[in-house]
Short mmCIF file of all heavy atoms in Angstrom, two decimals:
data_model
loop_
_atom_site.label_atom_id
_atom_site.label_comp_id
_atom_site.label_asym_id
_atom_site.label_seq_id
_atom_site.Cartn_x
_atom_site.Cartn_y
_atom_site.Cartn_z
N THR A 8 3.94 2.65 12.01
CA THR A 8 2.82 2.77 12.97
C THR A 8 2.00 1.56 13.00
O THR A 8 2.31 0.50 12.36
CB THR A 8 2.00 4.03 12.60
OG1 THR A 8 1.42 3.83 11.33
CG2 THR A 8 2.83 5.29 12.62
N ASP A 9 0.85 1.62 13.62
CA ASP A 9 -0.09 0.48 13.78
C ASP A 9 -0.71 0.18 12.39
O ASP A 9 -1.37 1.01 11.76
CB ASP A 9 -1.16 0.80 14.77
CG ASP A 9 -2.08 -0.39 15.06
OD1 ASP A 9 -1.82 -1.47 14.51
OD2 ASP A 9 -3.03 -0.23 15.77
N GLN A 58 0.42 -19.43 21.34
CA GLN A 58 1.55 -19.86 22.14
C GLN A 58 1.40 -21.38 22.44
O GLN A 58 2.07 -21.89 23.34
CB GLN A 58 1.54 -19.09 23.51
CG GLN A 58 1.85 -17.60 23.33
CD GLN A 58 1.56 -16.79 24.54
OE1 GLN A 58 0.53 -16.91 25.11
NE2 GLN A 58 2.54 -16.01 24.97
N TRP A 108 3.61 -23.55 -20.62
CA TRP A 108 5.09 -23.82 -20.81
C TRP A 108 5.85 -23.67 -19.53
O TRP A 108 6.67 -24.52 -19.19
CB TRP A 108 5.68 -22.85 -21.82
CG TRP A 108 7.12 -23.12 -22.21
CD1 TRP A 108 8.22 -22.68 -21.53
CD2 TRP A 108 7.53 -23.86 -23.38
NE1 TRP A 108 9.31 -23.11 -22.21
CE2 TRP A 108 9.00 -23.81 -23.34
CE3 TRP A 108 6.96 -24.52 -24.39
CZ2 TRP A 108 9.77 -24.39 -24.25
CZ3 TRP A 108 7.70 -25.12 -25.38
CH2 TRP A 108 9.12 -25.06 -25.28
N ASP A 151 6.04 -49.39 -28.52
CA ASP A 151 5.54 -50.12 -29.65
C ASP A 151 4.01 -50.30 -29.48
O ASP A 151 3.57 -51.32 -29.03
CB ASP A 151 6.26 -51.51 -29.80
CG ASP A 151 5.89 -52.21 -31.04
OD1 ASP A 151 5.29 -51.56 -31.99
OD2 ASP A 151 6.19 -53.36 -31.16
N ALA A 206 12.79 -21.04 -30.95
CA ALA A 206 12.43 -19.64 -30.95
C ALA A 206 11.29 -19.41 -29.93
O ALA A 206 11.28 -18.39 -29.19
CB ALA A 206 12.00 -19.17 -32.36
#
Side-chain angles (χ1 to χ4, degrees):
T8 60
D9 185 5
Q58 296 167 309
W108 184 277
D151 187 12

